[in-house]
Amino acid sequence: MREGDEIASILVRAIRETPAREIQDGDILVVAETAISTAEGRVVRLESVVPDRDAQRLAHRYGMDPALVQCILDESDEVVGGIPGFLLCMKHGTLLPNAGVDASNAPPGCVTPLPADPDASALRIKEVIELLTGVRVGVIVADSRTHAMRVGCSGVAIGCAGIPTVMDARGRTDLFGRPLMVTRLALADNLASAAEVVMGEADERTPAAVIRGLGIQVTDISGIESINAEECIFMGLLKQERKRQSSSSHRNDT
Amino acid sequence: MREGDEIASILVRAIRETPAREIQDGDILVVAETAISTAEGRVVRLESVVPDRDAQRLAHRYGMDPALVQCILDESDEVVGGIPGFLLCMKHGTLLPNAGVDASNAPPGCVTPLPADPDASALRIKEVIELLTGVRVGVIVADSRTHAMRVGCSGVAIGCAGIPTVMDARGRTDLFGRPLMVTRLALADNLASAAEVVMGEADERTPAAVIRGLGIQVTDISGIESINAEECIFMGLLKQERKRQSSSSHRNDT
């Protein structure tokens, strides 16, 4: 994948060389965010970046390259904290190590931030594929993330078009006829994870996967459902700690 | 699934009614933890639980049933914190809302804690299937979890036998020949997520899924790789906050 490449038509051609043969009605395509960022020209040469004082301070504290930290700050809505080598950032309502700025599979001396608007990227790929092939597809833009206390990365959907990202089972009942309270299925995240297994993360050169036969109705919807920090058990906890801390240092001051 | 059921033989019989037809060499079976807990008799009748003072205090603070909170405390190594309706717990080195104690798909008035030893459950199912069928399989015990700032649940492996839970790509190179720094693929979590899409979470009565054709070498290994809290960006951050807070309240005291 190179800057300016038209991903949709590359995918339509590439699939002919695979056992999937051709894109079919109802297929869900999972595309790696790095491939999209690269095609969209979202590549930053680190030596062209001038780190400001905040970036230098954070780089020093967490043992990171100041230019990389500056890229991360440019991409973040908020830096929540850090551990050596990583900043934990909020971006578009999601918690993101290093704000998704990634050096892996970027050209030498460069990093690739996430696509500027992953939902728009997903929708564009969907529309071009549908124009080229005449079939209806879903498209997921997938990133790969670590989760709390889990070893290794699993797939996460950061952009989506054509299928719902979350299937809501609230209002349905469990095996014993009892209403389910909180059961929502992270459909797009689960599909991104499934694709991760065949796409890999190193030099596999497989930036996309086709999911077939799920029977999910493809529509014109797009967008990722987001959550409020207060509804998130992890962020909710962190915010509680900070509140308690600030009220305790307030008591300190008085 | 009922207490005392032999899951492995039920699965071998049930698969004949599905398009997968019969269990084949190299198949990976994903089994829902609730089914295993139920078969293993890990069902707690809430009215038989006497909540202690800690349980009553936490239940009051987070608006929860004291008996449920007592079950959660009994299952937790540590309660990290809570938000209304949920306690965030550490258990066996993993961060677990409500310590995995689940009321969904449990008999009325009951909850099902996680299987006592999910790796042992996975290994036992694997061994019985191999005895019954003569083929080699991998078995994943899957739970379904929310992740930080994500909407909905995705699949997580809490027990595993026959395949590695994490594929290590460290030491390999990226597309540009650069060594990858932190890239480990959470294979078992990704497969649990893939299975979640076809198993569902409500009254689907599909407690297992078969993953075929991945070409992963099945061996005799078992066990889930765990992580230290310090290596986890989420827990690392929470621990930092607490440390800062306790040193600030220490200053308060002096």
Side-chain angles (χ1 to χ4, degrees):
Chain A
M1 213 62 76
R2 288 196 178 75
E3 181 170 349
D5 279 350
E6 175 57 78
I7 288 192
S9 52
I10 291 175
L11 291 178
V12 170
R13 265 180 284 125
I15 198 172
R16 299 202 188 114
E17 315 294 318
T18 74
R21 295 295 296 281
E22 59 179 13
I23 294 176
Q24 295 179 8
D25 211 54
D27 279 356
I28 299 164
L29 282 90
V30 182
V31 188
E33 53 83 13
T34 310
I36 295 176
S37 283
T38 305
E40 293 178 353
R42 299 266 295 160
V43 175
V44 177
R45 182 162 297 280
L46 285 176
E47 65 176 19
S48 72
V49 175
V50 182
D52 66 16
R53 289 191 55 162
D54 273 354
Q56 287 176 3
R57 185 178 50 82
L58 288 167
H60 180 73
R61 185 189 298 171
Y62 297 113
M64 298 170 71
D65 173 357
L68 173 62
V69 171
Q70 185 62 54
C71 290
I72 295 168
L73 293 181
D74 293 345
E75 291 291 319
S76 299
D77 296 329
E78 183 194 344
V79 174
V80 177
I83 60 170
F86 288 95
L87 298 177
L88 191 60
C89 309
M90 287 292 281
K91 179 182 174 146
H92 296 160
T94 316
L95 217 45
L96 255 173
N98 287 354
V101 176
D102 198 354
S104 295
N105 288 325
C110 296
V111 290
T112 47
L114 295 184
D117 183 345
D119 286 327
S121 302
L123 190 58
R124 196 167 49 242
I125 293 171
K126 170 186 166 65
E127 288 174 344
V128 175
I129 287 176
E130 292 180 348
L131 271 173
L132 292 172
T133 62
V135 301
R136 303 268 283 159
V137 297
V139 174
I140 292 170
V141 178
D143 193 4
S144 121
R145 304 254 174 97
T146 53
H147 292 293
M149 294 305 292
R150 305 298 303 174
V151 181
C153 292
S154 52
V156 165
I158 61 167
C160 192
I163 61 163
T165 54
V166 176
M167 306 266 265
D168 207 328
R170 288 174 303 177
R172 290 178 58 193
T173 55
D174 74 5
L175 277 176
F176 296 89
R178 230 175 355 199
L180 291 167
M181 296 303 286
V182 287
T183 299
R184 286 182 286 179
L185 181 75
L187 178 67
D189 284 348
N190 281 322
L191 295 179
S193 293
E196 183 102 330
V197 177
V198 294
M199 298 200 299
E201 295 211 47
D203 52 0
E204 289 87 352
R205 293 171 199 269
T206 309
V210 178
I211 295 172
R212 179 167 294 166
L214 264 188
I216 291 169
Q217 180 72 39
V218 170
T219 67
D220 282 329
I221 50 169
S222 78
I224 293 282
E225 247 189 86
S226 67
I227 190 173
N228 292 324
E230 288 69 27
E231 293 171 47
C232 166
I233 191 163
F234 301 94
M235 274 304 284
L237 215 62
L238 205 58
K239 281 182 179 270
Q240 275 177 27
E241 287 294 324
R242 299 223 157 141
K243 215 164 148 187
R244 216 178 307 178
Q245 194 185 324
S246 76
S247 72
S248 119
S249 54
H250 184 69
R251 281 198 308 275
N252 241 355
D253 296 342
T254 53
Chain B
M1 213 62 76
R2 286 195 179 76
E3 180 170 350
D5 279 351
E6 174 58 80
I7 288 192
S9 52
I10 292 175
L11 291 179
V12 169
R13 265 180 285 125
I15 197 171
R16 298 202 189 114
E17 315 295 316
T18 73
R21 296 294 297 279
E22 58 179 12
I23 295 176
Q24 295 179 7
D25 209 55
D27 279 356
I28 298 165
L29 282 89
V30 181
V31 188
E33 53 83 13
T34 310
I36 295 175
S37 284
T38 306
E40 292 178 355
R42 299 266 294 160
V43 176
V44 177
R45 183 163 295 281
L46 285 176
E47 65 178 19
S48 72
V49 175
V50 182
D52 66 14
R53 291 190 54 160
D54 274 354
Q56 288 175 3
R57 186 177 48 83
L58 287 167
H60 180 74
R61 185 188 298 170
Y62 298 113
M64 299 171 69
D65 173 357
L68 173 62
V69 171
Q70 185 63 54
C71 290
I72 294 168
L73 293 181
D74 293 344
E75 290 291 320
S76 301
D77 297 329
E78 183 194 345
V79 174
V80 178
I83 62 171
F86 288 95
L87 299 177
L88 191 60
C89 309
M90 285 291 283
K91 179 181 174 148
H92 296 161
T94 315
L95 216 45
L96 253 173
N98 288 354
V101 176
D102 199 353
S104 297
N105 289 324
C110 297
V111 291
T112 46
L114 295 184
D117 183 345
D119 287 327
S121 302
L123 190 58
R124 196 167 48 243
I125 293 170
K126 171 186 165 68
E127 287 173 345
V128 175
I129 287 177
E130 292 181 347
L131 271 172
L132 291 171
T133 63
V135 301
R136 303 268 282 159
V137 297
V139 174
I140 293 169
V141 178
D143 192 3
S144 123
R145 304 252 175 97
T146 53
H147 292 294
M149 294 304 293
R150 304 300 301 175
V151 181
C153 292
S154 52
V156 165
I158 62 167
C160 192
I163 60 162
T165 53
V166 177
M167 308 266 265
D168 207 328
R170 287 175 305 178
R172 289 179 58 193
T173 54
D174 73 6
L175 278 175
F176 295 90
R178 232 175 354 200
L180 291 167
M181 296 303 286
V182 287
T183 301
R184 286 183 285 178
L185 181 74
L187 178 67
D189 285 348
N190 281 322
L191 295 178
S193 292
E196 182 100 334
V197 177
V198 294
M199 299 201 298
E201 296 210 46
D203 52 358
E204 288 88 351
R205 291 172 199 270
T206 310
V210 178
I211 295 172
R212 179 167 294 166
L214 265 187
I216 291 169
Q217 179 73 39
V218 170
T219 66
D220 283 329
I221 49 170
S222 80
I224 294 281
E225 246 188 86
S226 67
I227 190 173
N228 291 324
E230 289 68 28
E231 294 170 48
C232 166
I233 191 163
F234 302 93
M235 275 303 284
L237 215 60
L238 204 59
K239 282 184 179 270
Q240 275 175 30
E241 288 293 326
R242 300 220 157 144
K243 214 164 147 188
R244 220 179 305 178
Q245 194 185 325
S246 75
S247 72
S248 119
S249 53
H250 183 70
R251 281 198 309 276
N252 242 354
D253 296 342
T254 52

